[in-house]
Amino acid sequence: MLAFRVLSKGSGNARRLVVSAAAKVNLALEVLSRRADGYHEIATVMHAVDLSDRLVLEEADALEVRTTAPGVPTDERNLAHRAAAALRKAAGVDRGVRITLDKRIPVAAGLGGGSTDAAAVLVGLNRLWGLRWPAAQLDEVAVELGMDVPFFLRGGAALATGRGERLAALGGAVLALVLVNPRFPVSTAEMYGHLTPAMYSDGARAQAVARALRGRGVNRLAACLYNGMEATARAAYPQIGQMQAALVAAGALGAAMSGSGPTVFGLARSLEQARQIQRRVGRARWECWAVRTLRGPAIRIRTNGAG
Ligand code: ATP
């Protein structure tokens, strides 16, 4: 079932929507193999976290994206733009939208920022354009935009396999995390380019993280956080190892890189402890957030009205 929450009710013919789009972390990320089509088979446990971009969608004649975020294109290269164009084509509608994108999730950071924006546009336009598409239909458009996009349509936690698009929902308690970003981007394509068969593994670590998440034992979970790209990323960008060490020295139970980096996250016992760790690790050169995992939707329609 597609899960998104309307926090303030409004008319079905909204002309303007405000949508929040949450980031994710990878509690485990394994690369299993390289396929003949060039994609990699992966096994990953993703969890939505409460660090979110904000998108305003307004009816317009054409498709338009506005943002002041550095390093984020506003043309067809923007995933929010591509999501709107793909949905318009798939639905056969002749409608436009002006998307104003307030980026709070760091860009090219391993936190899925572009993918969650794309999911937010699909959910928002489904409402704004009055399409009433069911989840399965939105999924078909989502997967064409990126392997993480179907995850963001659901939120919560999931074990993802295949190219990342096959999802099994996971439950578990709300976790407190500290995210640390070194204020430079790392390209996902570059990191996948560094992969060699020596870094491949069999998926057992992602299964172990999925079990630990269900078991609710935070120490056990901390012990099995894993990212198969981390060693290469640390070699290329030593700050990644330094951020992990700083998190553990400040009291995190365990720390790992998210996605293809460079953001790392540490697991804390509580949000209060996460804030303490954030204060200790947060230095001028690193950006730091204390966040909670989201058990509910990653995409939320915040307001709905003529505004
Ligand atoms: P992932 O974790 O899915 O690999 P990421 O978080 O590392 O992704 P993004 O923040 O999605 O990476 O950005 C990757 C690139 O995509 C950026 O270099 C940026 O130029 C481009 N991009 C396109 N659309 C967006 C968007 N809406 N937000 C951020 N970046 C975007």
Side-chain angles (χ1 to χ4, degrees):
M1 191 192 73
L2 183 66
F4 54 85
R5 186 185 294 170
V6 181
L7 294 179
S8 111
K9 288 200 180 106
S11 81
N13 318 318
R15 314 201 62 83
R16 179 178 186 272
L17 292 179
V18 181
V19 188
S20 74
K24 57 84 183 162
V25 294
N26 300 82
L27 298 174
L29 175 57
E30 290 188 73
V31 182
L32 309 187
S33 62
R34 188 168 190 276
R35 302 162 22 141
D37 62 8
Y39 284 101
H40 288 89
E41 287 282 323
I42 64 168
T44 183
V45 174
M46 290 191 275
H47 213 319
V49 297
D50 63 355
L51 170 66
S52 301
D53 286 345
R54 178 176 174 275
L55 297 90
V56 179
L57 309 185
E58 293 166 289
E59 284 201 351
D61 294 332
L63 293 187
E64 186 191 343
V65 174
R66 297 176 175 181
T67 184
T68 54
V72 179
T74 54
D75 57 16
E76 309 71 47
R77 289 169 298 164
N78 193 299
L79 270 170
H81 193 292
R82 283 174 43 204
L87 187 62
R88 182 166 72 169
K89 186 165 175 232
V93 295
D94 186 21
R95 311 274 291 266
V97 63
R98 182 182 310 114
I99 301 167
T100 307
L101 180 55
D102 180 6
K103 291 292 301 179
R104 294 167 186 181
I105 304 169
V107 176
L111 298 174
S115 301
T116 193
D117 293 346
V121 168
L122 295 181
V123 170
L125 289 184
N126 193 31
R127 169 75 61 90
L128 194 72
W129 289 347
L131 301 177
R132 298 173 183 271
W133 277 22
Q137 213 174 345
L138 282 185
D139 265 346
E140 284 173 26
V141 179
V143 77
E144 294 298 320
L145 296 164
M147 295 308 148
D148 289 353
V149 184
F151 165 75
F152 286 111
L153 289 179
R154 284 167 181 71
L159 173 66
T161 52
R163 288 176 296 166
E165 82 288 11
R166 272 207 311 266
L167 297 169
L170 299 169
V174 173
L175 305 170
L177 304 175
V178 185
L179 312 184
V180 191
N181 177 272
R183 299 179 191 270
F184 59 75
V186 167
S187 124
T188 304
E190 178 200 331
M191 276 301 133
Y192 271 93
H194 285 309
L195 278 175
T196 63
M199 298 168 210
Y200 297 165
S201 49
D202 63 1
R205 291 175 175 97
Q207 294 288 353
V209 165
R211 276 196 304 276
L213 206 52
R214 284 194 209 104
R216 296 170 188 237
V218 77
N219 284 314
R220 217 173 112 217
L221 178 62
C224 53
L225 301 173
Y226 179 79
N227 187 322
M229 294 190 181
E230 204 176 271
T232 322
R234 274 201 303 250
Y237 303 101
Q239 283 202 47
I240 291 173
Q242 291 161 13
M243 294 187 301
Q244 275 181 290
L247 279 167
V248 172
L253 302 172
M257 187 173 84
S258 183
S260 51
T263 306
V264 301
F265 63 92
L267 187 55
R269 287 192 187 284
S270 64
L271 189 61
E272 195 189 340
Q273 194 212 1
R275 290 193 177 121
Q276 273 172 16
I277 297 171
Q278 178 197 10
R279 282 194 291 274
R280 285 185 198 143
V281 174
R283 308 182 198 170
R285 62 183 181 134
W286 293 341
E287 210 173 354
C288 221
W289 301 262
V291 299
R292 271 190 293 227
T293 55
L294 294 173
R295 285 199 291 191
I299 308 302
R300 291 167 192 244
I301 297 180
R302 289 280 170 196
T303 56
N304 178 356

